[in-house]
Amino acid sequence: MPVPHRPGLRVTEGVTIPEAELSWRFSRSSGPGGQGVNTADSRVELSWDAAGSSALSTVQRDRLLERLGGRLVDGVLTIAASEHRAQIRNRDAARERLAEIVADALRPPAPARRATKPSRGAKERRLKAKQRRTDVKQMRRRPID
């Protein structure tokens, strides 16, 4: 079955990883598989050199290396997929997972939280609720003679 031509892996609107930067490795998948278990190389490992990629700007590269530092080995991100029995489906799963991880890492940070004070009404409601709990617990006590 011929694989359709793919210009690259589209990660976000402005970032597409060229196919030439993606490297594949195939091996035998563990688990049940019937007759083809010892012959089919269905497990897929997709590697991408994030540190040396031409698809990223310097700001994007720095952000990616910082956020994915624990997953990278010498600047290379590796994704393994073996959940399907067919190699082609594992290839697609690995591509999707890589795109998802990279897109999540490239997302700009959330704006910093502005510190606020509780309103006067909120303080009063909280104190009244505490007083109600105090009253309920005092009613449970034994009466003092």
Side-chain angles (χ1 to χ4, degrees):
M1 184 165 125
V3 177
H5 174 70
R6 295 179 176 156
L9 178 61
R10 187 180 177 102
V11 177
T12 62
E13 194 73 29
V15 177
T16 301
I17 300 171
E19 281 297 320
E21 291 186 9
L22 301 175
S23 63
W24 299 91
R25 270 186 52 208
F26 307 101
S27 59
R28 292 192 183 129
S29 185
S30 63
Q35 292 175 326
V37 73
N38 293 325
T39 59
D41 288 345
S42 61
R43 183 175 185 271
V44 170
E45 280 187 21
L46 174 59
S47 298
W48 174 57
D49 184 10
S53 177
S54 62
L56 303 173
S57 67
T58 54
V59 173
Q60 290 172 330
R61 183 177 295 109
D62 292 342
R63 183 180 293 160
L64 188 90
L65 294 176
E66 179 188 332
R67 290 191 179 165
L68 296 180
R71 290 192 69 151
L72 300 176
V73 177
D74 295 330
V76 177
L77 177 63
T78 303
I79 306 292
S82 62
E83 58 264 20
H84 303 290
R85 287 181 62 180
Q87 186 190 94
I88 192 83
R89 290 182 65 196
N90 282 330
R91 279 179 169 229
D92 292 338
R95 287 175 64 91
E96 286 174 19
R97 211 174 305 150
L98 177 70
E100 191 176 297
I101 289 170
V102 172
D104 192 41
L106 289 177
R107 199 164 288 125
R113 181 189 173 277
R114 286 195 352 233
T116 58
K117 291 187 205 172
S119 66
R120 190 173 69 196
K123 286 181 189 174
E124 289 173 5
R125 285 189 298 273
R126 181 179 63 86
L127 292 174
K128 279 185 180 165
K130 285 173 69 116
Q131 189 60 51
R132 274 195 302 273
R133 291 298 301 157
T134 301
D135 294 342
V136 166
K137 290 186 174 195
Q138 278 187 347
M139 294 297 289
R140 292 178 189 159
R141 289 185 186 165
R142 226 181 226 162
I144 301 171
D145 290 331

